[in-house]
Amino acid sequence: MDRIDRILGQWNRERPDLDVTAMGEIGRYLRVARYFRREMEATFAKHGLNGATFDVLATLRRSGPPHALSPGDLMAATMVSSGTVTNRIDQLQKAGLVERRQNPADRRGFIVALTEKGFAVIEQAVANHVATQTRLISTFSPEQRAALDALLRAYLSAVPEA
């Protein structure tokens, strides 16, 4: 019995007319998500990053050479507002992890590129991030992981993107 079971038991006692099954499933999902987020943030912090700055660096890294994107492309890939992207770029530029360069395709604009230091930081951070994620799901067998992944994929394909 976990904390969620106790809460459900209380609701079942106090409101037996309600089916609180979904409350348990969603409550457990939210607790797991908080735990995952806390563990991943700790990994990012070891590299002087947080989830937001990791996201920008990882987006630039996975874009392939020359590891540079326009702010608009970064905004679309990270799914945040232009003001948020600008703030993250500013933070990363101050830390020497990215630089703004003139956009060769549009002289009026600029692109954001990883610096050598930024590339080195994200290389190590992403390796540690993958190790953390692997550890976080290691309690499941490969079959359980596949089943969970299939269930989550099915759910996410049935709901609008947030």
Side-chain angles (χ1 to χ4, degrees), residues 14-34:
E14 296 300 315
R15 290 292 308 267
D17 57 310
L18 295 177
D19 177 2
V20 294
T21 304
M23 184 186 293
E25 295 159 349
I26 292 172
R28 286 187 178 95
Y29 168 79
L30 292 173
R31 289 192 70 206
V32 167
R34 278 192 302 271

Side-chain angles (χ1 to χ4, degrees), residues 43-119:
T43 297
F44 302 147
K46 291 176 184 175
H47 301 279
L49 304 172
N50 58 39
T53 53
F54 175 88
D55 192 24
V56 172
L57 294 178
T59 300
L60 291 169
R61 174 61 181 96
R62 73 175 183 262
S63 71
H67 305 108
L69 295 170
S70 71
D73 289 340
L74 271 174
M75 187 173 69
T78 58
M79 297 178 283
V80 296
S81 70
S82 62
T84 300
V85 165
T86 299
N87 183 42
R88 291 177 184 177
I89 293 167
D90 289 346
Q91 289 176 18
L92 290 166
Q93 188 171 20
K94 285 178 190 169
L97 302 176
V98 301
E99 62 186 5
R100 288 176 167 95
R101 298 180 186 160
Q102 187 168 0
N103 187 338
D106 178 6
R107 293 191 168 262
R108 295 170 296 157
F110 66 93
I111 57 173
V112 179
L114 287 175
T115 61
E116 284 185 35
K117 178 182 176 184
F119 188 88

